[in-house]
Structures are given as C-alpha cells and as structure tokens.
Amino acid sequence: MMIKIQYGYVVAALLLFLSGCTSLDKHPVYAEEGVAINGYDPVAYFVKNAPVKGSEQFKTEYEKAVWLFSSAENKAKFEDKPEQYLPQYGGYCAYAMSHGFVVDTIPEAFTVLNDKLYLNYSLGVRENWLEDTKNYIDRADKQWDKKLTK
C-alpha cells in the first residue's frame, strides 16, 4: 500500500514537470512535427485493438495535423467519420488531463472504452487510469472544456 501511494506521488510529480512542456494554445491535437499521435493509425485502435504504425502512403490532414493510416480502408473510414476515431483530449494523456495537465502520450498506452480512444503517457500511468476510468473521464472532460475555452 505504501509503495502504491509513493508511486502516485512520483506520477503526480512527473505530470507536473511534464505539463510545463506542452500547451494547447497552438496544439489542440497532440502532434510531433505536425504528425498526430506519433504517426499511429487511430482507426487501428478500434479495428485491431492494437497500436499500428501509419504510413505516409495513407495520410490525410485534419484539425491542422497530419494523420497516418496503415491502409486505404482505415484512411477512408477516418475521412468519412473522423469524430468517431479521434482520440479523446486531442490525443494528449487522458489521466493527466483529468488532473488539468497537458502531457504527451505513447502509442502502446491506450484504452478503447465506450467506442472512444483514450491515450496515456505511459503504461504505468495507464494502470492508474484503469483503476477509475469513469471518474477520470468525468474530470478530464471538464478540464478539456476549460482548456479549449481559454
């Protein structure tokens, strides 16, 4: 129990440190060098339940970011209904957003829940996220709305 509490403090401290590095002012979608969600195919999270690297061969632009896909079929699905496949909170860490922080993510730390894609900073942070997703989603939704209206 003590280790879990200490781990929580370490995660919180890390999120505080990292949150200073990212701002939504210029980047409402998590995009490194203009490419959304580390170049991974957002549709693949739903159809394969796995992170799949996208290809320059299958790309589109949406919300001022380039989105890569692993197939023409996935690209077409996204272009038909992008809001169905977009990661929540612009692809920033869902757990961090629930605490009011804007933090980048890794492709492997994902959850598809109620037909929505949530990404996290790390697999360890994802474990914390999974402990109480309903509460974290409620909190993150409110924080995201605040950040978008600033």
Side-chain angles (χ1 to χ4, degrees), residues 32-50:
E32 291 285 328
E33 298 179 16
V35 178
I37 62 170
N38 296 300
Y40 278 72
D41 181 341
V43 177
Y45 285 105
F46 294 90
V47 297
K48 293 195 182 256
N49 195 35

Side-chain angles (χ1 to χ4, degrees), residues 44-143:
Y45 285 105
F46 294 90
V47 297
K48 293 195 182 256
N49 195 35
V52 178
K53 190 79 169 153
S55 166
E56 283 284 327
Q57 182 181 357
F58 309 110
K59 69 180 177 181
T60 194
E61 190 169 319
Y62 185 79
E63 292 188 353
K64 299 180 184 177
V66 173
W67 296 82
L68 302 180
F69 304 90
S70 57
S71 68
E73 181 182 358
N74 283 6
K75 178 184 177 217
K77 284 180 179 182
F78 182 87
E79 288 176 333
D80 186 46
K81 293 183 181 175
E83 56 285 337
Q84 181 176 339
Y85 300 103
L86 289 172
Q88 299 302 293
Y89 322 119
Y92 291 101
C93 178
Y95 180 78
M97 187 60 62
S98 73
H99 292 85
F101 302 117
V102 179
V103 178
D104 60 358
T105 56
I106 64 168
E108 300 80 15
F110 76 96
T111 306
V112 175
L113 185 64
N114 298 323
D115 294 322
K116 293 183 180 182
L117 173 61
Y118 299 93
L119 299 171
N120 290 115
Y121 172 75
S122 70
L123 293 173
V125 169
R126 180 178 172 265
E127 290 304 313
N128 283 349
W129 162 257
L130 291 173
E131 289 177 4
D132 192 5
T133 54
K134 183 180 178 343
N135 179 43
Y136 292 133
I137 289 168
D138 289 344
R139 290 171 46 189
D141 286 349
K142 290 174 186 159
Q143 291 293 333

